[in-house]
């Protein structure tokens, strides 16, 4: 999703910094994206480490918009009876505390017209057995955004809540069963397909652009909440 957003920003002629934990992966993404336009920078940072987040925004200088798609959900999909505490903590650290740390260090560098957008997810609305911690984290992230929309105003803080979207995250969740799992969901969804990263990128851009939307959750889920 982050990659699709970067491609969209570059295609519009704007500048973007993409962030992740792995310099080699970032370099590969940058090389692929460069074809879409000039103006891309990379930065290595783990959003769950405050010193790294602080360094990140000291290095970028002022930014107009920040979108956070980082997640480390490795091992987090577990029945509560076999809850893996380190895995749950990694998820909480990346998705909730990471988002809070980014807000803390990004906001002072941003213009009053700027925006911060988090990424929650359908698990908060259609929880499934084995997904309790993921559901809780997505729900909590939306509450965090609502509170920050007041605390950081007039900076706007919003959330995109994706449904099932065909991204690399599914390789970790479903492995070889990825195509079958996504295909079965596509058959059930009102939209008749699962999401593409570009669907989510468009939603991020809408929230970045619309100066009157704050404290809002934008559902981009193909109707998943109603099945
Ligand atoms: N795909 C779906 O069906 C779906 C559905 C609902 C919600 N979501 C949510 O949408 C968001 C984006 O998901 P996605 O599918 O685009 O995931 P993805 O393809 O796995 O991308 C996640 C990105 O986060 C980076 N990352 C992970 N941990 C990080 C950390 N600690 N610090 C900095 N970067 C970190 C990863 O790069 P490195 O590993 O190189 O750091 C990777 O680029 C997530 O919050 C996810 O929970 C996804």
């Amino acid at each position: 999703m982050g990659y699709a957003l970067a491609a969209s920003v570059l295609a519009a002629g704007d500048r973007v910094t993409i962030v992740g934990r792995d310099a080699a992966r970032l370099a590969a993404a940058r090389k692929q994206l460069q074809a879409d336009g000039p103006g891309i920078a990379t930065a290595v940072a783990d959003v769950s480490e405050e010193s790294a987040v602080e360094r990140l925004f000291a290095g970028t200088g002022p930014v107009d918009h920040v979108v956070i798609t980082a997640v480390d959900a490795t091992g987090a999909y577990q029945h509560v009876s076999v809850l893996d505490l380190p895995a749950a903590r990694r998820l909480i650290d990346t998705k909730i505390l990471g988002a809070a740390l980014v807000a803390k260090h990004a906001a002072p560098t941003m213009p009053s017209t700027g925006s911060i957008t988090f990424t929650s997810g359908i698990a908060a609305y259609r929880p499934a057995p084995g997904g309790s911690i993921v559901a809780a984290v997505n729900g909590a992230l939306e509450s965090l955004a609502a509170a920050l929309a007041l605390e950081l105003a007039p900076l706007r803080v919003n959330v995109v809540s994706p449904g099932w979207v065909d991204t690399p995250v599914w390789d970790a969740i479903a492995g070889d069963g990825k195509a079958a799992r996504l295909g079965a969901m596509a058959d059930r969804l009102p939209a008749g397909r699962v999401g593409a990263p570009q669907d989510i990128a468009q939603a991020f851009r809408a929230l970045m652009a619309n100066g009157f939307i704050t404290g809002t959750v934008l559902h981009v889920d193909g109707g998943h909440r109603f099945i």
Side-chain angles (χ1 to χ4, degrees), residues 21-56:
R21 295 167 298 180
D22 184 325
R25 286 190 70 197
L26 287 169
R30 179 185 178 149
K31 195 169 169 201
Q32 253 178 304
L33 283 164
Q34 205 83 54
D36 295 325
I40 182 168
T42 60
V44 175
D46 182 330
V47 289
S48 63
E49 287 178 18
E50 180 155 18
S51 56
V53 176
E54 195 172 6
R55 256 196 320 275
L56 170 67

Short mmCIF file of all heavy atoms in Angstrom, two decimals, residues 21-56:
data_model
loop_
_atom_site.label_atom_id
_atom_site.label_comp_id
_atom_site.label_asym_id
_atom_site.label_seq_id
_atom_site.Cartn_x
_atom_site.Cartn_y
_atom_site.Cartn_z
N ARG A 21 12.35 -0.74 7.32
CA ARG A 21 13.47 -1.15 8.18
C ARG A 21 14.67 -1.66 7.40
O ARG A 21 15.74 -1.84 7.96
CB ARG A 21 12.99 -2.26 9.14
CG ARG A 21 11.95 -1.81 10.12
CD ARG A 21 11.31 -2.99 10.79
NE ARG A 21 10.62 -3.84 9.82
CZ ARG A 21 9.97 -4.95 10.11
NH1 ARG A 21 9.92 -5.35 11.37
NH2 ARG A 21 9.37 -5.64 9.18
N ASP A 22 14.47 -1.92 6.09
CA ASP A 22 15.48 -2.66 5.34
C ASP A 22 16.00 -1.80 4.17
O ASP A 22 15.27 -1.53 3.21
CB ASP A 22 14.83 -3.95 4.83
CG ASP A 22 15.82 -4.85 4.11
OD1 ASP A 22 16.73 -4.34 3.43
OD2 ASP A 22 15.67 -6.08 4.23
N ALA A 23 17.26 -1.40 4.28
CA ALA A 23 17.83 -0.49 3.27
C ALA A 23 17.79 -1.11 1.88
O ALA A 23 17.52 -0.41 0.89
CB ALA A 23 19.26 -0.13 3.65
N ALA A 24 18.04 -2.40 1.78
CA ALA A 24 18.09 -3.04 0.46
C ALA A 24 16.69 -3.06 -0.18
O ALA A 24 16.54 -2.80 -1.38
CB ALA A 24 18.63 -4.46 0.60
N ARG A 25 15.68 -3.36 0.62
CA ARG A 25 14.31 -3.36 0.09
C ARG A 25 13.91 -1.95 -0.37
O ARG A 25 13.26 -1.76 -1.39
CB ARG A 25 13.32 -3.84 1.16
CG ARG A 25 13.38 -5.33 1.41
CD ARG A 25 12.21 -5.75 2.29
NE ARG A 25 10.94 -5.67 1.57
CZ ARG A 25 9.75 -5.67 2.16
NH1 ARG A 25 9.66 -5.73 3.46
NH2 ARG A 25 8.66 -5.62 1.45
N LEU A 26 14.30 -0.96 0.43
CA LEU A 26 13.97 0.43 0.06
C LEU A 26 14.67 0.83 -1.23
O LEU A 26 14.06 1.48 -2.08
CB LEU A 26 14.38 1.37 1.19
CG LEU A 26 13.52 1.35 2.45
CD1 LEU A 26 14.19 2.12 3.57
CD2 LEU A 26 12.13 1.92 2.15
N ALA A 27 15.92 0.41 -1.35
CA ALA A 27 16.68 0.77 -2.56
C ALA A 27 16.02 0.13 -3.79
O ALA A 27 15.91 0.76 -4.85
CB ALA A 27 18.13 0.32 -2.42
N ALA A 28 15.56 -1.11 -3.64
CA ALA A 28 14.91 -1.80 -4.76
C ALA A 28 13.60 -1.09 -5.11
O ALA A 28 13.28 -0.88 -6.30
CB ALA A 28 14.66 -3.26 -4.40
N ALA A 29 12.85 -0.69 -4.10
CA ALA A 29 11.58 0.01 -4.34
C ALA A 29 11.84 1.35 -5.02
O ALA A 29 11.15 1.72 -5.98
CB ALA A 29 10.83 0.21 -3.02
N ARG A 30 12.86 2.02 -4.54
CA ARG A 30 13.20 3.33 -5.12
C ARG A 30 13.56 3.19 -6.60
O ARG A 30 13.12 3.98 -7.44
CB ARG A 30 14.36 3.94 -4.35
CG ARG A 30 14.78 5.27 -4.89
CD ARG A 30 16.02 5.79 -4.20
NE ARG A 30 16.40 7.05 -4.81
CZ ARG A 30 16.98 8.04 -4.19
NH1 ARG A 30 17.25 7.93 -2.92
NH2 ARG A 30 17.29 9.14 -4.82
N LYS A 31 14.34 2.15 -6.90
CA LYS A 31 14.78 1.94 -8.28
C LYS A 31 13.57 1.69 -9.19
O LYS A 31 13.44 2.26 -10.26
CB LYS A 31 15.73 0.73 -8.32
CG LYS A 31 16.53 0.62 -9.57
CD LYS A 31 17.62 -0.42 -9.41
CE LYS A 31 18.21 -0.69 -10.80
NZ LYS A 31 18.88 -1.97 -10.85
N GLN A 32 12.65 0.87 -8.68
CA GLN A 32 11.44 0.57 -9.46
C GLN A 32 10.55 1.79 -9.63
O GLN A 32 9.95 1.99 -10.68
CB GLN A 32 10.62 -0.50 -8.73
CG GLN A 32 10.67 -1.88 -9.36
CD GLN A 32 9.87 -2.85 -8.53
OE1 GLN A 32 10.12 -3.02 -7.34
NE2 GLN A 32 8.89 -3.47 -9.14
N LEU A 33 10.48 2.61 -8.58
CA LEU A 33 9.58 3.77 -8.60
C LEU A 33 10.13 4.94 -9.42
O LEU A 33 9.36 5.75 -9.91
CB LEU A 33 9.32 4.26 -7.17
CG LEU A 33 8.33 3.43 -6.35
CD1 LEU A 33 8.47 3.77 -4.88
CD2 LEU A 33 6.91 3.67 -6.83
N GLN A 34 11.44 4.98 -9.53
CA GLN A 34 12.07 6.13 -10.19
C GLN A 34 11.49 6.38 -11.58
O GLN A 34 11.39 7.52 -12.01
CB GLN A 34 13.58 5.88 -10.30
CG GLN A 34 14.41 7.13 -10.39
CD GLN A 34 14.67 7.72 -9.00
OE1 GLN A 34 15.17 7.02 -8.14
NE2 GLN A 34 14.33 8.96 -8.79
N ALA A 35 11.07 5.30 -12.23
CA ALA A 35 10.51 5.43 -13.57
C ALA A 35 9.26 6.31 -13.56
O ALA A 35 8.89 6.90 -14.58
CB ALA A 35 10.16 4.05 -14.12
N ASP A 36 8.60 6.39 -12.39
CA ASP A 36 7.36 7.15 -12.32
C ASP A 36 7.59 8.65 -12.13
O ASP A 36 6.64 9.42 -12.15
CB ASP A 36 6.49 6.63 -11.17
CG ASP A 36 6.05 5.21 -11.42
OD1 ASP A 36 5.82 4.86 -12.59
OD2 ASP A 36 5.97 4.45 -10.46
N GLY A 37 8.79 9.07 -11.85
CA GLY A 37 9.01 10.50 -11.68
C GLY A 37 10.16 10.78 -10.75
O GLY A 37 10.61 9.89 -10.03
N PRO A 38 10.64 12.01 -10.73
CA PRO A 38 11.76 12.36 -9.85
C PRO A 38 11.25 12.62 -8.43
O PRO A 38 10.04 12.68 -8.20
CB PRO A 38 12.29 13.64 -10.48
CG PRO A 38 11.11 14.26 -11.12
CD PRO A 38 10.17 13.15 -11.51
N GLY A 39 12.16 12.77 -7.51
CA GLY A 39 11.75 13.28 -6.21
C GLY A 39 11.51 12.24 -5.14
O GLY A 39 10.75 12.48 -4.21
N ILE A 40 12.14 11.08 -5.24
CA ILE A 40 11.94 10.08 -4.20
C ILE A 40 13.18 9.95 -3.33
O ILE A 40 14.30 9.91 -3.83
CB ILE A 40 11.56 8.71 -4.81
CG1 ILE A 40 11.31 7.70 -3.67
CG2 ILE A 40 12.58 8.20 -5.80
CD1 ILE A 40 10.67 6.41 -4.12
N ALA A 41 12.95 9.91 -2.03
CA ALA A 41 14.03 9.67 -1.08
C ALA A 41 13.68 8.43 -0.26
O ALA A 41 12.50 8.06 -0.17
CB ALA A 41 14.21 10.87 -0.17
N THR A 42 14.68 7.80 0.32
CA THR A 42 14.42 6.66 1.20
C THR A 42 15.00 6.96 2.57
O THR A 42 15.96 7.73 2.69
CB THR A 42 15.07 5.38 0.66
OG1 THR A 42 16.49 5.58 0.56
CG2 THR A 42 14.52 5.01 -0.71
N ALA A 43 14.44 6.36 3.59
CA ALA A 43 14.98 6.50 4.95
C ALA A 43 14.73 5.20 5.70
O ALA A 43 13.62 4.66 5.67
CB ALA A 43 14.33 7.67 5.67
N VAL A 44 15.78 4.71 6.35
CA VAL A 44 15.63 3.50 7.16
C VAL A 44 15.23 3.91 8.57
O VAL A 44 15.89 4.73 9.20
CB VAL A 44 16.96 2.70 7.21
CG1 VAL A 44 16.84 1.51 8.15
CG2 VAL A 44 17.35 2.24 5.80
N ALA A 45 14.10 3.36 9.03
CA ALA A 45 13.68 3.61 10.41
C ALA A 45 12.70 2.53 10.84
O ALA A 45 11.88 2.08 10.03
CB ALA A 45 13.02 4.98 10.54
N ASP A 46 12.82 2.13 12.08
CA ASP A 46 11.83 1.23 12.67
C ASP A 46 10.86 2.11 13.46
O ASP A 46 11.28 2.79 14.41
CB ASP A 46 12.55 0.23 13.60
CG ASP A 46 11.60 -0.78 14.22
OD1 ASP A 46 10.41 -0.44 14.43
OD2 ASP A 46 12.03 -1.91 14.49
N VAL A 47 9.58 2.10 13.05
CA VAL A 47 8.64 3.05 13.68
C VAL A 47 8.41 2.77 15.16
O VAL A 47 7.88 3.63 15.87
CB VAL A 47 7.25 3.07 12.98
CG1 VAL A 47 7.30 3.72 11.63
CG2 VAL A 47 6.62 1.70 12.95
N SER A 48 8.82 1.60 15.62
CA SER A 48 8.61 1.29 17.04
C SER A 48 9.76 1.78 17.91
O SER A 48 9.73 1.61 19.13
CB SER A 48 8.38 -0.21 17.22
OG SER A 48 9.53 -0.93 16.84
N GLU A 49 10.79 2.37 17.29
CA GLU A 49 11.93 2.88 18.06
C GLU A 49 11.95 4.40 18.03
O GLU A 49 12.14 5.01 16.97
CB GLU A 49 13.24 2.34 17.48
CG GLU A 49 13.44 0.87 17.79
CD GLU A 49 14.72 0.33 17.17
OE1 GLU A 49 15.61 1.13 16.80
OE2 GLU A 49 14.81 -0.90 17.04
N GLU A 50 11.76 5.01 19.19
CA GLU A 50 11.60 6.47 19.21
C GLU A 50 12.81 7.21 18.66
O GLU A 50 12.65 8.19 17.91
CB GLU A 50 11.26 6.98 20.63
CG GLU A 50 11.11 8.50 20.63
CD GLU A 50 10.25 9.03 21.73
OE1 GLU A 50 10.02 8.32 22.72
OE2 GLU A 50 9.79 10.20 21.59
N SER A 51 14.01 6.74 18.99
CA SER A 51 15.19 7.48 18.51
C SER A 51 15.23 7.46 16.98
O SER A 51 15.61 8.44 16.34
CB SER A 51 16.48 6.87 19.08
OG SER A 51 16.54 5.50 18.77
N ALA A 52 14.80 6.34 16.39
CA ALA A 52 14.81 6.23 14.92
C ALA A 52 13.76 7.17 14.31
O ALA A 52 14.01 7.82 13.28
CB ALA A 52 14.52 4.79 14.50
N VAL A 53 12.61 7.26 14.94
CA VAL A 53 11.55 8.13 14.41
C VAL A 53 11.96 9.60 14.55
O VAL A 53 11.75 10.42 13.64
CB VAL A 53 10.21 7.86 15.15
CG1 VAL A 53 9.13 8.82 14.68
CG2 VAL A 53 9.77 6.41 14.92
N GLU A 54 12.59 9.91 15.66
CA GLU A 54 13.06 11.29 15.87
C GLU A 54 14.10 11.66 14.81
O GLU A 54 14.02 12.73 14.18
CB GLU A 54 13.69 11.38 17.27
CG GLU A 54 13.88 12.78 17.75
CD GLU A 54 14.33 12.83 19.22
OE1 GLU A 54 14.58 11.77 19.84
OE2 GLU A 54 14.42 13.94 19.73
N ARG A 55 15.04 10.75 14.57
CA ARG A 55 16.07 10.98 13.54
C ARG A 55 15.44 11.14 12.17
O ARG A 55 15.83 11.98 11.37
CB ARG A 55 17.03 9.79 13.49
CG ARG A 55 18.38 10.04 14.14
CD ARG A 55 19.43 9.01 13.75
NE ARG A 55 18.97 7.64 13.66
CZ ARG A 55 18.89 6.79 14.67
NH1 ARG A 55 19.22 7.18 15.88
NH2 ARG A 55 18.47 5.55 14.49
N LEU A 56 14.41 10.31 11.91
CA LEU A 56 13.75 10.32 10.60
C LEU A 56 13.23 11.72 10.28
O LEU A 56 13.52 12.27 9.22
CB LEU A 56 12.59 9.31 10.61
CG LEU A 56 11.64 9.36 9.42
CD1 LEU A 56 12.37 8.94 8.15
CD2 LEU A 56 10.43 8.46 9.66
#
